Amino acid sequence: VSVLYCFLYAMPTIGTLNEEGVNVDLYIPRKCHASNMLIPAYDHASVQLNVGDVDANGVYVGTTRTLCLAGFLRAEGEADHAVNRLCITHGIIRPRTGRPKKQKKRVPV
């Protein structure tokens, strides 16, 4: 149990750092933003999307937000829903951009 505790709570950063504080690992795995699972190196169907930030006039301001999706989400056809959900939670798109709600028809009495 103590080894597991040290592994989970004692590692302040991901990867190995040298004396200058520079990351020296050759590979740092990515994490799927929709499912919170690690994306392995052999997952060739995974994608990384960079969504550009725009101002109120719709002009690109030079910054991006990165979204990583695992390959199994794309294989199941859930990637579109996951991207929409992530963009709504990050404030990139509005939650209800579609048509307005239908109002119930009143029946005359």
Side-chain angles (χ1 to χ4, degrees):
V1 177
S2 63
V3 174
L4 180 61
Y5 177 80
C6 292
F7 179 74
L8 292 177
Y9 299 106
M11 295 183 66
T13 60
I14 296 175
T16 306
L17 303 176
N18 61 6
E19 290 86 17
E20 290 85 27
V22 178
N23 192 352
V24 294
D25 278 344
L26 296 176
Y27 174 73
I28 297 174
R30 294 180 294 164
K31 194 172 189 180
C32 177
H33 285 97
S35 64
N36 284 332
M37 294 178 59
L38 287 178
I39 299 174
Y42 55 83
D43 187 1
H44 298 293
S46 63
V47 292
Q48 179 172 333
L49 303 172
N50 292 323
V51 181
D53 294 327
V54 295
D55 61 2
N57 296 326
V59 179
Y60 176 65
V61 294
T63 58
T64 60
R65 295 176 190 230
T66 303
L67 303 174
C68 296
L69 294 176
F72 77 92
L73 282 175
R74 297 183 65 215
E76 292 179 358
E78 294 292 326
D80 185 41
H81 177 68
V83 169
N84 286 338
R85 185 175 53 83
L86 289 170
C87 288
I88 288 171
T89 57
H90 287 293
I92 298 170
I93 59 174
R94 291 186 299 254
R96 297 178 190 225
T97 57
R99 57 188 167 188
K101 276 187 174 178
K102 293 182 180 178
Q103 295 182 356
K104 295 182 180 178
K105 295 182 180 178
R106 294 186 181 183
V107 178
V109 182

